[in-house]
Amino acid sequence: MTVHVKMAAIQWHSRERDYSEELESCSLEKIPVEFGDYHPLKTITVTESKTKKLGRKESTSSTSSSCSSNSVADPLSSVLDGTDPLSLFAATAETVAATTEVSRKKRDQEEYIGSDFEPWSSKRGEILARYTTTEKLSINLFMGSDRGKTTTPGSAVSEKVRTRLEELDDLEEGSQKELLNLTQQDYISRIEELNQSLKDAWASDQKVKALKIVIQCSKLLSDTSVIKFYPSKFVLITDILDTFGKLVYERILSMCMDNKTALPANFTPDNVNDTAKETCLNWFYKIASIRELVPRFYVEAAILKCNKYLSKTGISESLPRLTSMIKGIGDPLVSVYARAYLCRVGMEVAPHIKENLNQNFFDFLLTFKQIHSDTVQNQLAVQAVEIPIYLTLYSPAIDWMLRCIAYRAPDSLLTEMMERCKKLGNNALLLNSVMSAFRAEFIAARSMSFIGMIKECDEAGFPKHLLFRSLGLNLALADPPENDRLQILNEAWKVITKLKVPEDYINCAEVWVEYTCRHFTKREVNTILADVIKHMTPDRAFEEAYPQLQSVITKVIAHFHDFSVLFSVEKFLPFMDMFQKESVRVEVCKCIMEAFIKHQQEVTKDPVILNALLHVCKTMHDSVNALSLEDEKRTLAHLINGFIRLVSFGRDFEQQLSFYVEARALFCNLEPVLVQLIHSVNLLAMETKKVMKGNHSRKTASFVRACVAFCFITIPSLTSIFTRLNLYLHSGQVALANQCLSQADAFFRAAVSLVPEVPKTINIDGKMRSSEAFLLEFLSNLFSTLLVVPDHPEQGVLFLVRGLLNVIENYTWEDNSDDKVRIYTSVLHLLAALSQESYLYHIDKGEV
């Protein structure tokens, strides 16, 4: 018998779901907790555990006194067998910290120089940059010697010693080559070659050759034929001396290592073996045999630290002797730099011996009158150097000596130093060094006294404007007495405003702007800015002073955090007009915007601020061209976006939209700014909806449509395709939330039509990556939105979904990729959700 079965068409439906019930069933069970019961968020007290580990399989015992008897056991503690690694680590850390603290305190008691002392290395670059010359220089290069290199293995020790002494004594017989007509850069290169030759000679165990190089370099410090270059020469030569001193010290230190055990940090001569002491004495004997005073002084000062190997009082006994040796140097410039080098070495090896530092400076004061002697005047006449320029050559050396003396010195000593300097005639040079080296608080408290001394100085000597500049630098760091502040400014500005040379004027005015901003109102600042404009505008002098003018702007901005006050300063914007070089002008604008974003705490609608900052931002935007780097564009866009976010007209939404429209026109070349404007306009539309509580009036509905139109017009101008896709989706959601159904439909259709244009790879941080993951994320978000989008009355049911499915079908996907399957899975989720009587979420007043 044949059985005929008639199969009916089977139609699959998704199951009906009650989202509220499902949510409730998935919620955690709520259990009332009585006071005192255990709770997972309750504080757990960790106590010290005493654990004795008996073996891998044996148990451990621990005692605890703080945990409650009814507390639930901590599962992590059970895994750790009762040991708490954090507690053990903390206990170990406390022990180490205690030991470290004891050693730190002991070290602090032994150290005399702290981190607040400015080292010589910080001065080096400044001196090399400031003291330059265009004159030709000369130098003697060491050529080496072949004497003594043919010694046979059987030679006696006395023959070897005699040969070395002959080598040391023979610096004239063919061992030097004089190079003439060198430029400054050539001279520096030759000095660097000598420094390298010293290291090479030392590495090849040619110690005598190394010493000859150092002696030869030290002799150069006796030469003042190109006097304006002398400070830089001093820096270069003393670098070689420092290298030599370090090599000798480390060589002797290596000889002290018995059985590969290094000397302790605070070793005494008793810890040093006889061989090392003999070698150390040998170096001092060799140096003592140098005939000329200047190289003998410098080379011995370079290895001054080696006295530690010989006796406990070696350094303290050598310093006064070296100080006395300087008295034999006739040239006052050479002499003062020798004193500066001795102070520098003394601060490194024996900072506690302050008496020698003081005596060194007092000796200099006794010979100060030599600076104005006939011999010096004749030398300056030959080199055509004016006395004000000559006096500035002394500044680095005197500044350093006074800085060493003033470090942690009592006010009584500083006052004594100041009085001694005051008694000397033509003391402007010393006065400038005092203000440069002494503590700012000391100078500020005696500002009027210093102004009086500055007035008494001879104008023909050290320039007065440099004295006022040094005073201004101190007053920028410390406040003078309140009653003297206005008088100080008036006295200083009387001198500054009379300066005729623009470079001198702006170098001094730049410093006093800081003082004015710190202690006075916008009226005084406006007066200062007006005076700067007056002096720097003629002959376009401002073009040579952009760094100083930029510094003035920075200081003004740093003290005026209220930008409504800043832009009400009448001469501020005219001052900005002096920055006519585009790169400098953009940097200044960036500085202004950074300060505004940092200090502006509240949103603003002040027309003065808006007009000024729109001009500033426009200047930054217009600097962008085809050659601009992406980092530069990103920086400028970040600053402009920060400004846009801080602008708010409150409930005046139409004025806010007008501002965004104006900003779009001004900043159209920076894509991140356009993106920010689109987000801001979308936020504005949602703010309108919030104010109207979802019930738009005819006026607000029209305004929201204007916001939507702004976004729809702006998005196509963007270049990044995923940025456009996401903004279409975001803007469509905003339009949908505000009942702009046709506009929302336009956004979603634009997004769907853009999907086929998505490239297979995109550039992310300079690397090409597959775009499918980003496309999958976007499509998932779009499907979630389409759930609540009403169907088009003319295009039929699920018009957008069907169009999107066609696009997905025709899109070329990567081989061996499951992204297409994932997308279709998302489509199934959407269709299942659409078949429900009530949706998981919805749009207020949105009819589906």
Side-chain angles (χ1 to χ4, degrees):
M1 182 176 66
T2 304
V3 178
H4 298 278
V5 180
K6 186 175 182 181
M7 299 294 294
I10 300 176
Q11 185 174 7
W12 297 92
H13 295 278
S14 62
R15 63 184 177 86
E16 294 184 3
R17 302 178 64 178
D18 187 336
Y19 293 115
S20 300
E21 184 179 342
E22 290 182 18
L23 179 62
E24 184 177 354
S25 64
C26 293
S27 300
L28 295 175
E29 183 181 1
K30 297 178 182 178
I31 302 175
V33 179
E34 296 181 2
F35 180 76
D37 287 352
Y38 170 78
H39 189 273
L41 298 182
K42 183 179 178 181
T43 304
I44 298 176
T45 304
V46 179
T47 61
E48 183 180 1
S49 299
K50 297 181 180 179
T51 305
K52 182 178 180 181
K53 205 155 188 176
L54 303 176
R56 173 173 291 185
K57 295 183 179 181
E58 294 180 356
S59 61
T60 60
S61 61
S62 63
T63 60
S64 177
S65 59
S66 300
C67 294
S68 303
S69 59
N70 59 347
S71 296
V72 178
D74 183 3
L76 295 180
S77 297
S78 61
V79 174
L80 296 170
D81 295 332
T83 57
D84 179 7
L86 295 180
S87 298
L88 294 176
F89 176 78
T92 305
E94 288 176 1
T95 305
V96 174
T99 305
T100 306
E101 182 67 16
V102 172
S103 61
R104 185 189 66 80
K105 289 181 178 179
K106 182 178 180 181
R107 186 172 62 252
D108 289 346
Q109 291 172 357
E110 296 172 350
E111 291 183 353
Y112 291 84
I113 298 180
S115 59
D116 56 334
F117 182 76
E118 189 176 7
W120 171 259
S121 57
S122 64
K123 300 290 183 183
R124 184 182 184 279
E126 178 185 346
I127 295 173
L128 290 175
R130 180 179 177 186
Y131 297 97
T132 59
T133 184
T134 56
E135 297 182 43
K136 298 300 181 181
L137 302 161
S138 62
I139 190 173
N140 293 324
L141 275 182
F142 177 72
M143 303 302 296
S145 174
D146 294 330
R147 180 182 295 186
K149 293 184 180 179
T150 58
T151 305
T152 61
S155 298
V157 175
S158 59
E159 179 67 23
K160 184 177 181 181
V161 172
R162 184 165 55 254
T163 302
R164 287 189 175 181
L165 290 174
E166 288 174 354
E167 286 181 348
L168 182 60
D169 193 49
D170 181 21
L171 286 174
E172 287 79 29
E173 298 178 9
S175 63
Q176 298 183 84
K177 177 182 178 182
E178 186 175 13
L179 298 178
L180 303 175
N181 299 322
L182 297 177
T183 64
Q184 177 181 320
Q185 189 56 47
D186 291 337
Y187 188 90
I188 294 174
S189 299
R190 298 297 183 183
I191 293 295
E192 291 175 350
E193 288 179 12
L194 285 173
N195 200 356
Q196 187 59 44
S197 298
L198 168 65
K199 296 177 182 178
D200 294 341
W202 192 272
S204 59
D205 203 27
Q206 299 181 42
K207 303 297 189 297
V208 174
K209 179 180 178 181
L211 179 58
K212 291 172 71 175
I213 292 174
V214 174
I215 295 172
Q216 176 187 343
C217 291
S218 301
K219 283 186 174 183
L220 296 175
L221 292 174
S222 303
D223 177 23
T224 57
S225 57
V226 184
I227 202 164
K228 290 192 291 187
F229 186 66
Y230 191 85
S232 293
K233 181 197 289 188
F234 171 80
V235 169
L236 296 170
I237 299 301
T238 52
D239 284 349
I240 296 178
L241 289 167
D242 292 342
T243 300
F244 176 72
K246 182 179 179 182
L247 290 172
V248 173
Y249 184 84
E250 291 178 350
R251 164 65 175 165
I252 300 173
L253 182 64
S254 66
M255 299 175 68
C256 299
M257 295 179 61
D258 296 327
N259 299 322
K260 298 183 179 181
T261 302
L263 286 177
N266 297 319
F267 68 89
T268 64
D270 297 334
N271 303 122
V272 181
N273 58 48
D274 293 339
T275 303
K277 285 184 178 180
E278 183 180 353
T279 303
C280 185
L281 279 171
N282 187 33
W283 277 110
F284 281 107
Y285 290 152
K286 286 180 180 179
I287 293 169
S289 67
I290 300 173
R291 296 193 191 94
E292 297 184 29
L293 174 61
V294 172
R296 185 166 73 249
F297 164 80
Y298 273 106
V299 179
E300 183 175 353
I303 66 166
L304 179 66
K305 189 177 180 181
C306 294
N307 279 284
K308 293 174 61 177
Y309 296 115
L310 301 176
S311 69
K312 294 181 180 180
T313 59
I315 294 176
S316 59
E317 292 173 354
S318 298
L319 282 172
R321 180 172 53 79
L322 290 171
T323 302
S324 299
M325 286 175 62
I326 299 175
K327 296 178 181 179
I329 301 176
D331 191 307
L333 186 64
V334 177
S335 173
V336 75
Y337 274 93
R339 295 185 187 279
Y341 185 69
L342 187 59
C343 285
R344 174 174 147 195
V345 174
M347 285 296 286
E348 291 177 359
V349 302
H352 57 285
I353 308 179
K354 285 294 186 101
E355 296 80 4
N356 186 74
L357 295 176
N358 300 343
Q359 186 59 48
N360 193 9
F361 184 73
F362 290 151
D363 289 348
F364 164 71
L365 293 181
L366 293 174
T367 60
F368 180 71
K369 293 181 180 179
Q370 292 181 358
I371 295 177
H372 303 279
S373 64
D374 293 339
T375 304
V376 173
Q377 297 295 334
N378 294 335
Q379 184 183 18
L380 297 182
V382 171
Q383 299 192 35
V385 176
E386 297 179 356
I387 189 66
I389 295 177
Y390 174 70
L391 291 179
T392 59
L393 302 178
Y394 285 81
S395 293
I398 301 176
D399 289 357
W400 180 255
M401 284 194 291
L402 286 172
R403 194 176 297 276
C404 294
I405 294 171
Y407 181 66
R408 295 183 180 177
D411 286 356
S412 58
L413 177 61
L414 301 185
T415 303
E416 180 187 355
M417 290 288 180
M418 190 177 75
E419 291 299 326
R420 289 203 181 198
C421 295
K422 189 176 180 180
K423 291 178 182 179
L424 296 173
N426 296 324
N427 63 348
L429 171 63
L430 293 175
L431 186 59
N432 185 69
S433 293
V434 165
M435 290 188 291
S436 299
F438 285 11
R439 291 188 296 271
E441 295 79 8
F442 179 87
I443 303 296
R446 299 161 179 79
S447 299
M448 292 307 301
S449 298
F450 278 97
I451 287 178
M453 287 187 284
I454 292 173
K455 287 182 176 180
E456 295 173 1
C457 292
D458 184 7
E459 185 67 36
F462 199 87
K464 279 190 178 180
H465 69 270
L466 293 182
L467 297 176
F468 275 107
R469 185 178 190 277
S470 297
L471 179 61
L473 288 171
N474 283 283
L475 297 181
L477 300 174
D479 298 336
E482 188 171 356
N483 295 333
D484 296 339
R485 291 174 183 175
L486 182 58
Q487 186 179 356
I488 291 171
L489 179 61
N490 289 334
E491 293 291 344
W493 208 257
K494 285 178 185 177
V495 176
I496 297 171
T497 194
K498 292 179 181 178
L499 295 174
K500 303 299 182 183
V501 180
E503 181 182 1
D504 295 341
Y505 171 83
I506 193 60
N507 284 334
C508 202
E510 170 205 354
V511 172
W512 282 89
V513 166
E514 174 92 6
Y515 174 77
T516 308
C517 293
R518 279 168 64 96
H519 301 297
F520 299 99
T521 64
K522 70 174 186 179
R523 184 172 68 88
E524 288 80 9
V525 173
N526 188 66
T527 303
I528 298 295
L529 294 182
D531 195 62
V532 174
I533 294 172
K534 176 183 175 183
H535 279 78
M536 302 306 295
T537 302
D539 301 324
R540 300 178 68 85
F542 55 79
E543 293 182 344
E544 303 297 327
Y546 282 138
Q548 293 90 336
L549 295 175
Q550 192 171 349
S551 175
V552 170
I553 283 287
T554 303
K555 291 171 181 176
V556 172
I557 295 171
H559 288 88
F560 284 85
H561 296 166
D562 187 344
F563 276 72
S564 61
V565 175
L566 177 64
F567 289 124
S568 66
V569 175
E570 182 183 354
K571 295 298 181 179
F572 182 79
L573 292 179
F575 190 95
M576 290 278 297
D577 292 337
M578 286 195 294
F579 296 100
Q580 296 188 10
K581 185 179 180 181
E582 185 182 59
S583 60
V584 179
R585 185 168 66 248
V586 171
E587 286 300 317
V588 172
C589 291
K590 288 164 66 176
C591 181
I592 293 173
M593 293 310 303
E594 287 170 357
F596 177 77
I597 295 171
K598 179 179 179 181
H599 299 297
Q600 186 70 24
Q601 302 295 328
E602 299 178 353
V603 294
T604 182
K605 61 177 180 180
D606 189 325
V608 175
I609 295 178
L610 297 187
N611 290 333
L613 292 185
L614 278 174
H615 173 71
V616 170
C617 291
K618 176 64 174 172
T619 301
M620 294 192 301
H621 170 270
D622 291 347
S623 68
V624 175
N625 53 45
L627 300 179
S628 298
L629 299 175
E630 288 300 319
D631 284 346
E632 178 68 11
K633 292 180 182 179
R634 192 158 40 247
T635 300
L636 297 179
H638 171 73
L639 295 174
I640 296 174
N641 286 342
F643 164 60
I644 291 173
R645 285 192 292 266
L646 286 170
V647 176
S648 175
F649 291 88
R651 289 294 184 88
D652 192 350
F653 293 155
E654 292 184 353
Q655 184 66 30
Q656 189 80 33
L657 182 60
S658 298
F659 170 77
Y660 291 145
V661 171
E662 182 182 2
R664 181 179 62 183
L666 292 174
F667 312 127
C668 57
N669 291 331
L670 289 174
E671 187 164 308
V673 178
L674 296 180
V675 173
Q676 175 64 44
L677 289 171
I678 293 170
H679 285 305
S680 297
V681 171
N682 280 329
L683 181 61
L684 184 62
M686 296 306 293
E687 286 289 332
T688 306
K689 176 179 180 291
K690 181 179 178 181
V691 170
M692 300 303 295
K693 297 181 180 179
N695 299 313
H696 283 297
S697 64
R698 179 177 297 180
K699 182 178 180 180
T700 58
S702 176
F703 173 77
V704 168
R705 285 194 293 271
C707 293
V708 171
F710 176 98
C711 298
F712 193 78
I713 294 171
T714 309
I715 292 174
S717 63
L718 304 177
T719 57
S720 172
I721 191 166
F722 278 103
T723 301
R724 278 185 282 162
L725 284 171
N726 288 317
L727 286 175
Y728 274 134
L729 176 58
H730 183 210
S731 300
Q733 292 169 345
V734 171
L736 194 61
N738 285 279
Q739 298 99 50
C740 300
L741 301 183
S742 59
Q743 288 84 352
D745 184 70
F747 278 115
F748 297 136
R749 292 173 65 179
V752 171
S753 63
L754 193 59
V755 170
E757 300 178 20
V758 174
K760 298 295 178 290
T761 57
I762 55 175
N763 190 323
I764 300 176
D765 297 331
K767 297 181 180 179
M768 301 305 295
R769 300 182 184 275
S770 173
S771 63
E772 286 194 3
F774 300 94
L775 182 59
L776 175 62
E777 180 183 2
F778 166 75
L779 291 176
S780 298
N781 292 334
L782 180 56
F783 285 133
S784 299
T785 302
L786 291 180
L787 174 64
V788 294
V789 175
D791 291 323
H792 197 282
E794 297 178 359
Q795 301 293 341
V797 178
L798 300 181
F799 165 70
L800 289 172
V801 176
R802 287 186 280 112
L804 188 55
L805 287 173
N806 291 332
V807 169
I808 294 170
E809 181 64 29
N810 296 326
Y811 188 82
T812 304
W813 300 90
E814 289 185 4
D815 296 336
N816 302 322
S817 171
D818 60 355
D819 288 333
K820 188 173 183 180
V821 176
R822 292 175 180 271
I823 290 174
Y824 280 132
T825 304
S826 297
V827 175
L828 290 176
H829 294 164
L830 171 62
L831 295 176
L834 286 169
S835 67
Q836 304 299 317
E837 289 295 328
S838 60
Y839 291 168
L840 180 60
Y841 48 86
H842 66 280
I843 297 292
D844 291 338
K845 299 185 181 298
E847 298 178 359
V848 182

